[in-house]
Amino acid sequence: MNCNRVKDNLLTFYYNELGEREKEEVLQHLNQCRACQNLWEEMRSTLELIPRGERDELGDGYWDDYTRRLMEKLQQEREKGKFFLGVKPVFSGVLILLLLMGFYVFRHYQQRVEMFQHLTLFENYEVVQNLELLENMELFERLDFFETLKRDSAG
Amino acid sequence: MAEQRPGMESLTDGQLVERLRDGDLSAFRELVNRYKKRAFYLAYRLLSDREAAEDISQEAFIRVYKKIKEFRGDTSFQNWFYRIILNLSRSHLRHRYFINRFVLWFKKAEEGEIEKSLETLPSPPSPESNPLQAALARERKERIDSAIQSLQGNQREIFVLKHIEGMKIKNIAEILNLKEGTVKIHLFRAVQKLQEALKEYREVQ
């Protein structure tokens, strides 16, 4: 095994996850190679500073409370679940009703808007008609005036 | 709450899962007893916050109860459960990150001060009788914790699962959905960073 392969396998060697043959090869190499030995020592001494596994410092009382609190939370969740299960059909019904109402109100509003638009158009039409009428009346008056003038000059 | 039936301790995780699927609450209690410490300490190692670790580990148990029917059994219960804890911890960290950013923006305080105020559980009293030794031991423990905490997401998760939980690389790869080679690379980089961070303690040793 060369230095690079040993370097790749040092951690698995430390955690005892190498096969017997590979373990032997790493050991052999470490006995011969000073650089890899230094690398191994650095790694090993760092990892040994950090405790493996957890030292439980919380005590049995804490763990009993932990379980009790967890079971209470679970109970709450289950009740919430039941509540939503019961409420679900009612909630769905109300939602459908609200949607239908919304649709009805929207349709009604739309109809009103259309009606109003028609009405405005109609009103505008009436005004235009009246204006025409007025113009015509004026025209008639003028005609009448010219007729009178003509008759006076002839007489 | 249902009392625990005798003999539950002798059942395997798989058998407990089967019973839980049938709605047996005592099977759930047994799973809680088996995994509560590991769940709590795993979350604590990832979050460095005792309250959050308790919440996250309990939330993970509640997820197990709710989603047990979705557990297909293509991996071990432990791996599935650890995956739940990791996912919940990640989302908690993301959430905390945004809160930190908001607080930072809001108060315009210095980053160091905020981070300092948010974390770390006060160290438990040390068994050392000499106050100086006790203080040194406490300081060393804090340095080790903060060195682990300073590792990046995947590196920290992998290091905690490997070194502290003592899991096999193969299992870690399965939990994190990574290749074994990738897990080894992350682990190697994590150890390199720890070597650097804990250099002075190593030399003293």
Side-chain angles (χ1 to χ4, degrees), chain B residues 46-105:
Chain B
L46 297 171
L47 306 170
S48 285
D49 180 333
R50 182 169 151 175
E51 254 179 69
E54 185 175 315
D55 281 346
I56 294 296
S57 56
Q58 289 181 338
E59 176 63 32
F61 280 116
I62 290 169
R63 288 258 171 118
V64 165
Y65 183 85
K66 282 178 167 173
K67 310 258 172 184
I68 196 69
K69 287 190 175 144
E70 289 171 25
F71 174 53
R72 294 187 304 272
D74 48 5
T75 182
S76 67
F77 170 77
Q78 180 178 302
N79 285 2
W80 182 63
F81 182 53
Y82 276 26
R83 203 178 291 159
I84 294 174
I85 297 173
L86 287 173
N87 287 338
L88 287 172
S89 301
R90 281 175 190 169
S91 90
H92 178 85
L93 283 172
R94 265 198 302 272
H95 182 72
R96 195 161 75 183
Y97 172 79
F98 284 113
I99 299 255
N100 283 4
R101 300 289 295 183
F102 177 73
V103 172
L104 200 72
W105 170 80

Side-chain angles (χ1 to χ4, degrees), chain A residues 7-12 14-17 39 41-43 45-58 60 62-67 69-75 77-78, chain B residues 1 25 28-29 32-33 36-37 40-41 45 50 54-55 57-58 61-62 65-66 124 127 140-141 144 148 159 162-164 167-170 184 187-188 191 194-195 198 201-202 205:
Chain A
K7 200 176 149 188
D8 287 345
N9 283 313
L10 271 185
L11 273 170
T12 33
Y14 177 82
Y15 290 116
N16 206 14
E17 279 199 49
L39 209 69
E41 272 310 313
E42 272 184 35
M43 192 178 271
S45 56
T46 305
L47 290 172
E48 276 175 11
L49 279 172
I50 306 164
R52 295 179 74 178
E54 290 289 352
R55 211 177 69 193
D56 182 24
E57 291 156 341
L58 295 165
D60 289 344
Y62 173 80
W63 292 114
D64 290 343
D65 281 350
Y66 177 96
T67 311
R69 284 194 293 270
L70 169 59
M71 296 316 275
E72 278 170 11
K73 276 188 192 175
L74 184 71
Q75 189 61 31
E77 284 289 324
R78 291 170 77 194
Chain B
M1 216 42 68
L25 202 61
F28 178 73
R29 281 185 86 99
V32 170
N33 284 338
K36 62 184 173 189
K37 290 185 186 176
F40 172 86
Y41 281 113
R45 279 286 164 197
R50 182 169 151 175
E54 185 175 315
D55 281 346
S57 56
Q58 289 181 338
F61 280 116
I62 290 169
Y65 183 85
K66 282 178 167 173
R140 193 170 90 163
K141 189 182 177 300
I144 291 171
I148 296 173
F159 183 77
K162 178 70 232 166
H163 190 81
I164 296 167
M167 293 187 86
K168 296 266 179 216
I169 287 175
K170 194 181 157 202
K184 284 183 190 171
L187 185 62
F188 184 74
V191 173
L194 291 171
Q195 269 177 252
L198 303 170
Y201 292 100
R202 209 175 61 230
Q205 230 194 5

Side-chain angles (χ1 to χ4, degrees), chain B residues 121-137:
Chain B
L121 157 119
S123 295
S126 167
E128 317 264 352
S129 53
N130 181 336
L132 179 68
Q133 271 185 332
L136 286 173

Side-chain angles (χ1 to χ4, degrees), chain A residues 12-114:
Chain A
T12 33
F13 177 70
Y14 177 82
Y15 290 116
N16 206 14
E17 279 199 49
L18 279 184
E20 282 304 314
R21 214 179 112 199
E22 284 166 310
K23 206 156 54 177
E24 271 303 311
E25 282 175 3
V26 172
L27 266 171
Q28 251 178 21
H29 184 91
L30 287 177
N31 283 331
Q32 293 158 2
C33 177
R34 190 88 189 137
C36 287
Q37 222 175 73
N38 288 340
L39 209 69
W40 161 247
E41 272 310 313
E42 272 184 35
M43 192 178 271
R44 191 190 58 77
S45 56
T46 305
L47 290 172
E48 276 175 11
L49 279 172
I50 306 164
R52 295 179 74 178
E54 290 289 352
R55 211 177 69 193
D56 182 24
E57 291 156 341
L58 295 165
D60 289 344
Y62 173 80
W63 292 114
D64 290 343
D65 281 350
Y66 177 96
T67 311
R68 186 182 46 75
R69 284 194 293 270
L70 169 59
M71 296 316 275
E72 278 170 11
K73 276 188 192 175
L74 184 71
Q75 189 61 31
Q76 279 168 10
E77 284 289 324
R78 291 170 77 194
E79 273 159 21
K80 209 158 65 180
K82 272 184 204 161
F83 173 74
F84 277 116
L85 213 69
V87 155
K88 224 181 250 176
V90 180
F91 183 71
S92 311
V94 170
L95 195 74
I96 292 170
L97 205 71
L98 280 172
L99 278 170
L100 285 173
M101 275 171 69
F103 181 70
Y104 174 77
V105 168
F106 176 71
R107 280 295 300 162
H108 183 71
Y109 171 76
Q110 218 177 20
Q111 279 170 355
R112 288 294 295 268
V113 168
E114 276 170 18

